[in-house]
Amino acid sequence: MAGTKIMELGYWDFRGYGEACRYMLEYCECDYDDKQYPRRSRVDYSAWRDICETLDLDFPNLPYLIDGTKRLTESVAILKYLGRKYGLTPGSEDDKIRADMVEGVVLEIRDRFYGLFFEPEGQYSKYVHDFITDMRGLHAKLKKIIKFMGKNKWLVNNEVLNGIASNNALKTGTIRSSDY
């Protein structure tokens, strides 16, 4: 699956939204440069700010992917691009519909977890309280995802697909209905 050109993935020096992109690049055995920008504190973006306007990105943001002349930002756009490039997209219309639906649900869950790490100082304890209060709703969504999977190995069917790349965002890239 590996391409011949070296791609560049840029993100902070921690997992975050860039991790699913790293998983996809590794899964596809891509030769890529993992450009990590240091973030010294919650408010220090200087390493990224110093370079972001020099990369010729339409919407400068992290993560970004540079693949030859293609320059993408936004984690979901990068995952979809890699999925199309490496043949990891749903084939049938039914599978595309399933992938589109589950993508939104999984990303919503992911964003709730990520809020624990990116909430501004001073608001963190309120966010944690709200998150804990919402755990029943989260548990119900996870149960619906397991039911949605049915006997499939992956969320959409029995093949690894880009629509399932959001699994990686939850660090559940190997989730199977038999695990529960």
Side-chain angles (χ1 to χ4, degrees), residues 2-167:
T4 57
K5 296 180 183 175
I6 294 179
M7 291 184 250
E8 180 179 313
L9 176 70
Y11 195 65
W12 300 112
D13 58 353
F14 54 84
R15 291 181 186 170
Y17 290 131
E19 193 68 3
C21 301
R22 289 183 188 113
Y23 287 157
M24 182 74 90
L25 289 162
E26 291 295 327
Y27 180 83
C28 295
E29 299 176 351
C30 296
D31 192 10
Y32 72 101
D33 179 25
D34 188 8
K35 177 71 175 161
Q36 296 187 9
Y37 296 92
R39 187 166 168 201
R40 294 171 199 79
S41 72
R42 292 188 116 155
V43 295
D44 182 5
Y45 300 95
S46 60
W48 166 242
R49 205 175 308 124
D50 292 345
I51 193 169
C52 71
E53 295 299 331
T54 68
L55 296 173
D56 194 29
L57 301 168
D58 290 329
F59 304 101
N61 200 6
L62 295 174
Y64 69 80
L65 179 75
I66 298 173
D67 183 12
T69 61
K70 298 184 177 43
R71 295 170 178 272
L72 298 89
T73 55
E74 303 301 326
S75 57
V76 174
I78 293 168
L79 292 169
K80 288 181 176 186
Y81 167 75
L82 293 170
R84 288 188 302 270
K85 181 173 180 165
Y86 293 103
L88 300 174
T89 55
S92 73
E93 186 61 23
D94 286 346
D95 282 350
K96 289 176 185 174
I97 290 168
R98 289 176 59 85
D100 289 344
M101 287 190 309
V102 79
E103 174 186 47
V105 173
V106 171
L107 290 176
E108 182 182 331
I109 293 169
R110 176 200 69 178
D111 290 346
R112 293 288 292 159
F113 277 105
Y114 279 10
L116 291 170
F117 303 103
F118 297 110
E119 199 59 32
E121 291 183 37
Q123 298 176 17
Y124 184 73
S125 59
K126 180 186 179 328
Y127 189 90
V128 170
H129 177 269
D130 292 347
F131 181 83
I132 292 170
T133 302
D134 190 42
M135 286 302 287
R136 281 191 211 107
L138 177 62
H139 185 259
K141 281 191 182 198
L142 290 172
K143 284 176 72 173
K144 286 182 181 184
I145 288 174
I146 299 303
K147 182 180 177 188
F148 183 82
M149 282 178 68
K151 295 182 181 184
N152 292 329
K153 183 176 179 181
W154 302 94
L155 283 172
V156 173
N157 58 28
N158 285 315
E159 298 176 29
V160 176
L161 302 172
N162 174 54
I164 309 314
S166 47
N167 276 359

